[in-house]
């Protein structure tokens, strides 16, 4: 065995004393282009896509992505609730509808509606980037939008915070061209 180690060390030292080939010299002279680091959104989208893929693989039996449908997406969203950090009071809880209860309760923690909404947006984009069509995208269907709407309303009621649709603000500040027109009209 010690002879084998000596042979390996002898071969290693003799090969390092030989001049490198042209291919190695050429390879060493050209710097390798560094891949651009992913943006926060892109890295999160990649992580979410891998997590969803792992969820499908762990399904019993495993579900290929080509057979994934909105039911699998709904199961995935419900599965994620166990990792949530948002307290959602049950209707039977004395703190139901109170935005800041004075003491802790035993109501479950869930994924926040905003987190789920952002997650679905990233997964919908990742699905299409991985070759899926927008027509068959299981993340973009009406059932998923309906589920998210229900979660939003339920969490809003449980916390006593009604979600209201924001009205679009009208632009009341006049632009530079509008001010000039007013000035020209008053001057004439």
């Amino acid at each position: 065995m010690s002879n084998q180690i000596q042979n390996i060390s002898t071969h290693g030292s003799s090969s390092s004393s030989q001049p490198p080939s042209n291919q190695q010299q050429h390879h060493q002279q050209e710097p390798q282009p560094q891949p651009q680091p992913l943006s926060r959104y892109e890295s999160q989208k990649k992580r979410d896509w891998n997590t969803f893929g792992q969820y499908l693989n762990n399904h019993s039996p495993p579900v290929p992505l080509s057979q994934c449908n909105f039911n699998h997406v709904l199961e995935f969203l419900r599965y994620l609730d166990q990792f949530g950090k948002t307290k959602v009071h049950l209707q039977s809880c004395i703190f139901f509808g109170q935005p800041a209860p004075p003491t802790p309760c035993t109501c479950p923690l869930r994924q926040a509606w905003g987190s789920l909404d952002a997650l679905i947006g990233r997964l919908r984009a990742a699905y299409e980037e991985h070759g899926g069509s927008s027509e068959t995208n299981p993340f973009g269907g009406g059932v998923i939008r309906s589920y998210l709407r229900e979660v939003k309303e339920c969490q809003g009621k449980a916390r006593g915070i009604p979600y209201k649709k924001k009205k679009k603000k009208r632009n009341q500040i006049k632009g530079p061209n509008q001010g000039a027109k007013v000035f020209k009209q008053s001057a004439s």
Side-chain angles (χ1 to χ4, degrees), residues 38-49 122:
L38 295 176
S39 69
R40 184 172 180 243
Y41 170 79
E42 291 295 329
S43 60
Q44 184 64 48
K45 182 170 57 171
K46 184 178 180 181
R47 243 188 332 269
D48 292 340
W49 183 251
R122 290 188 299 267

Side-chain angles (χ1 to χ4, degrees), residues 75-142:
E75 288 173 11
F76 178 66
L77 294 177
R78 291 181 185 118
Y79 160 78
L80 290 177
D81 269 342
Q82 66 183 316
F83 307 110
K85 297 177 184 171
T86 300
K87 177 75 73 169
V88 180
H89 299 289
L90 303 173
Q91 284 188 332
S92 59
C93 179
I94 60 173
F95 301 128
F96 182 82
Q98 293 185 21
T103 59
C105 66
T106 59
C107 292
L109 294 174
R110 309 269 172 154
Q111 288 289 333
W113 166 79
S115 299
L116 293 177
D117 188 46
L119 171 70
I120 289 298
R122 290 188 299 267
L123 288 173
R124 186 173 52 236
Y127 179 83
E128 292 177 16
E129 286 176 9
H130 286 87
S133 72
S134 58
E135 293 81 27
T136 61
N137 193 331
F139 303 100

Side-chain angles (χ1 to χ4, degrees), residues 55-76:
Y55 174 79
L56 291 178
N57 286 337
N58 291 339
H59 224 268
S60 180
V63 178
L65 189 59
S66 60
Q67 294 178 2
C68 170
N69 61 34
F70 68 88
N71 286 322
H72 298 108
V73 176
L74 290 175
E75 288 173 11
F76 178 66

